[in-house]
């Protein structure tokens, strides 16, 4: 009997999930961060799940897209993108502003649409895989590896959110100096088996972050190391850091802001440069590749437009001899499963992928995805191979409903002002 793949309902559930006080160049993570869980139901009673950013500016276009999908085929993924192009976006809310949640440069209406449609694409692929009895990686052409390697994502971190701020407790402790960063890396290794390390920089003066990377190199000799200041440095500072750390860095991620500055650094640094800020759309590729501004593109399926777009990006990168890996935002298990499925299909994935998942103490799945030896085993179960925990989903949605609006849009600078009232988002370059 042929499966009925007609979409009969789409459910959107915004949630707030606990987030530790992780520092970046713009401020500190709020105690809770918004995510959007998407469920697509078919006429046969199959439900597929997806996940993306949950800020209000993403919810607004997600709602009309959800309504437009009802009655269409869950397999019509190309049509999904056509529908998304027709969804209006309020440009006044985003144009010219920096995307705080992803720290990926200036926002546009098209970028926002892609971030929204990516969650729907994953949900449709999950439902289609379940209907056909195939894992998502099979729908994408088949896996080329059984396990996907991830890197420990290290952050400078406070021991806790400011006193008096409602927040969940964590046992990671503080990391505000080289010793704290090394201790954090050891904890990641003991708990999850990671063998490569990325430090989120742009928080302290460059010499302090150079010392932290040196301490990591001493503690984990021969292990791949990365440093990502999110464009906080000038070209001159970027070149100095590259010279200081060139013998231990796998790559330097977005040291300076924008393709012209990155090209200047790349021409002289002697260290590969990676990005998830100056190349975030296909339209940004020609200039960056022609100028040799980046040697590794860090894809994020949330804002490239989904899993198939990630495969397309990887193919373009192969054509031009540019490496590819994966960037991470503050994601839950649905997104980690999706990342793992598409990463399993990408040939020449020579760099471990990023993941925030170990930092997230809460999830919407019945079973957390496990890291073993720093790797996630690719599921061969139908769809994504994950199951939604409806009680947890309802709990996290209730937290979102109970919020007065202060946490429904991520704002790292606002969170920093709770502890430092005079904090102003630093101008770039910061150093």
């Amino acid at each position: 009997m042929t499966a009925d793949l007609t979409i009969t309902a789409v459910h959107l559930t915004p949630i707030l999930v606990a987030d530790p006080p992780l520092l970046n160049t713009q401020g500190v993570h709020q105690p809770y961060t918004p995510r959007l869980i998407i469920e697509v139901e078919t006429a046969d009673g199959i439900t597929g799940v997806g996940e993306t950013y949950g800020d209000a500016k993403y919810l607004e276009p997600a709602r009309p897209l959800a309504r437009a999908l009802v009655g269409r085929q869950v397999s019509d993924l190309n049509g999904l993108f056509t529908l998304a192009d027709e969804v209006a976006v309020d440009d006044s809310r985003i144009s010219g502003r920096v995307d705080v949640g992803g720290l990926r440069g200036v926002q546009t209406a098209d970028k926002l649409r892609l971030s929204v449609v990516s969650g729907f694409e994953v949900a449709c692929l999950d439902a289609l895989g379940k209907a056909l009895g195939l894992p998502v990686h099979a729908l994408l052409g088949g896996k080329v590896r059984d396990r996907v390697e991830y890197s420990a994502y290290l952050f400078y971190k406070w021991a806790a959110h400011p006193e008096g701020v409602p927040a969940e407790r964590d046992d990671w402790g503080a990391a505000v100096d080289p010793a704290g960063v090394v201790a954090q890396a050891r904890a990641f290794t003991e708990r999850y088996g990671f063998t490569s390390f990325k430090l989120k920089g742009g928080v302290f003066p460059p010499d302090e972050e150079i010392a932290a990377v040196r301490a990591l190199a001493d503690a984990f000799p021969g292990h791949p190391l990365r440093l990502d200041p999110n464009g906080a440095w000038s070209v001159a500072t970027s070149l100095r850091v590259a010279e200081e750390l060139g013998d231990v860095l796998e790559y330097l991620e977005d040291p300076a802001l924008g393709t012209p500055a990155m090209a200047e650094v790349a021409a002289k640094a002697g260290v590969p440069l990676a990005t998830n800020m100056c190349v975030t759309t296909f339209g940004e590729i020609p200039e960056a590749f022609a100028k040799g501004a980046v040697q590794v593109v860090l894809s994020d399926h949330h804002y490239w437009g989904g899993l198939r777009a990630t495969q397309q990006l990887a193919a373009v990168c192969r054509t031009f001899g540019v490496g590819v890996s994966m960037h991470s935002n503050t994601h839950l298990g649905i997104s980690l499963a999706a990342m793992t499925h598409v990463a399993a299909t990408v040939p020449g994935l020579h760099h471990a992928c990023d993941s925030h998942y170990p930092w997230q103490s809460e999830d919407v799945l019945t079973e957390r995805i496990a890291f073993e030896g720093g790797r996630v085993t690719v599921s061969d179960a139908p769809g994504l191979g994950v199951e939604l925990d409806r009680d947890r989903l309802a709990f996290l949605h209730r937290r979102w409903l109970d919020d007065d609006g202060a946490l429904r849009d991520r704002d790292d600078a606002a969170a920093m002002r709770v502890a430092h009232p005079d904090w102003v988002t630093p101008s770039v370059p910061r150093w």
Side-chain angles (χ1 to χ4, degrees):
M1 184 173 66
T2 303
D4 190 341
L5 302 179
T6 305
I7 297 172
T8 55
V10 180
H11 304 287
L12 304 179
T13 309
I15 61 176
L16 286 176
V17 295
D19 210 7
L22 307 178
L23 298 163
N24 57 49
T25 195
Q26 294 187 338
V28 64
H29 288 204
Q30 292 170 301
Y32 300 98
T33 195
R35 300 296 287 177
L36 175 62
I37 306 303
I38 300 165
E39 298 176 73
V40 173
E41 294 183 11
T42 72
D44 283 346
I46 293 171
T47 299
V49 295
E51 172 194 344
T52 189
Y53 297 98
D55 307 62
K57 60 180 174 285
Y58 299 97
L59 285 174
E60 288 175 4
R63 288 174 175 131
L65 181 56
R67 291 192 294 269
L69 279 180
V70 175
R72 302 179 70 92
Q73 296 294 295
V74 78
S75 57
D76 185 13
L77 300 176
N78 292 333
L80 171 63
F81 284 79
T82 301
L83 283 179
D85 288 341
E86 298 171 356
V87 172
V89 173
D90 184 357
D91 287 321
S92 66
R93 295 191 57 170
I94 60 173
S95 294
R97 300 181 184 179
V98 172
D99 185 334
V100 177
L103 289 168
R104 58 183 171 110
V106 175
Q107 298 179 7
T108 67
D110 286 339
K111 284 184 180 182
L112 191 146
R113 286 190 188 93
L114 289 173
S115 297
V116 171
V117 78
S118 66
F120 286 87
E121 187 220 43
V122 169
C124 287
L125 284 168
D126 184 36
L128 182 61
K130 291 174 180 175
L132 300 178
L134 295 173
V136 165
H137 64 74
L139 300 179
L140 298 174
K143 62 183 178 179
V144 297
R145 60 184 59 82
D146 294 321
R147 303 174 75 205
V148 173
E149 184 179 6
Y150 287 87
S151 180
Y153 204 157
L154 310 179
F155 279 82
Y156 288 107
K157 177 185 177 293
W158 292 337
H161 286 283
E163 186 175 353
V165 174
E168 309 303 311
R169 298 180 64 86
D170 69 75
D171 63 354
W172 289 98
V176 293
D177 55 23
V181 170
V182 169
Q184 187 182 102
R186 291 194 190 283
F188 265 98
T189 300
E190 292 167 2
R191 297 180 189 188
Y192 304 108
F194 293 116
T195 58
S196 64
F197 305 91
K198 168 179 168 175
L199 175 62
K200 176 67 75 178
V203 176
F204 296 111
D207 285 340
E208 295 184 36
E209 298 185 353
I210 290 171
V213 174
R214 278 289 169 196
L216 285 170
D218 291 341
F220 302 93
H223 290 245
L225 304 177
R226 309 154 180 186
L227 178 59
D228 172 21
N230 282 123
W233 301 337
S234 67
V235 169
T237 297
S238 301
L239 289 171
R240 182 171 71 83
V241 174
E243 182 177 5
E244 292 276 353
L245 296 176
D247 60 325
V248 297
L249 284 181
E250 177 185 13
Y251 57 67
L252 186 58
E253 181 180 339
D254 286 308
L257 189 63
T259 292
M262 287 281 283
E264 282 192 68
V265 177
K268 301 177 182 178
V271 175
L273 300 188
T275 187
N276 75 281
M277 295 183 73
C278 67
V279 179
T280 60
T281 65
F282 286 99
E284 292 166 333
I285 287 176
E287 179 188 10
F289 285 12
K291 292 182 175 180
V294 298
Q295 288 69 57
V296 182
V297 173
L298 303 178
S299 174
D300 186 320
H301 75 268
H302 299 88
Y303 56 74
W304 279 89
L307 307 189
R308 297 181 308 145
T310 298
Q311 290 183 307
Q312 293 165 12
L313 170 64
V316 173
C317 288
R318 284 198 303 276
T319 302
F320 288 91
V322 174
V324 67
S325 188
M326 289 194 183
H327 164 262
S328 164
N329 57 64
T330 311
H331 63 79
L332 301 178
I334 296 172
S335 284
L336 179 59
M339 291 171 64
T340 301
H341 275 275
V342 70
T345 71
V346 174
L349 192 69
H350 300 306
H351 306 279
C353 302
D354 295 341
S355 178
H356 278 73
Y357 191 64
W359 288 112
Q360 310 315 133
S361 60
E362 299 179 320
D363 203 351
V364 293
L365 301 183
T366 56
E367 183 177 352
R368 284 185 67 87
I369 295 175
F371 293 92
E372 297 178 355
R375 291 170 168 80
V376 174
T377 299
V378 183
S379 172
D380 288 324
L384 291 173
V386 299
E387 183 180 349
L388 203 58
D389 184 330
R390 298 204 169 276
D391 290 338
R392 289 301 300 170
L393 181 66
F395 174 82
L396 298 176
H397 179 53
R398 173 54 57 185
R399 183 187 287 157
W400 183 88
L401 291 172
D402 291 343
D403 178 61
D404 61 5
L407 299 175
R408 292 185 181 182
D409 291 290
R410 178 173 164 179
D411 191 336
D412 293 356
M416 181 64 88
R417 282 192 290 272
V418 175
H420 302 283
D422 59 347
W423 176 263
V424 176
T425 303
S427 58
V428 178
R430 189 174 178 184
W431 287 285

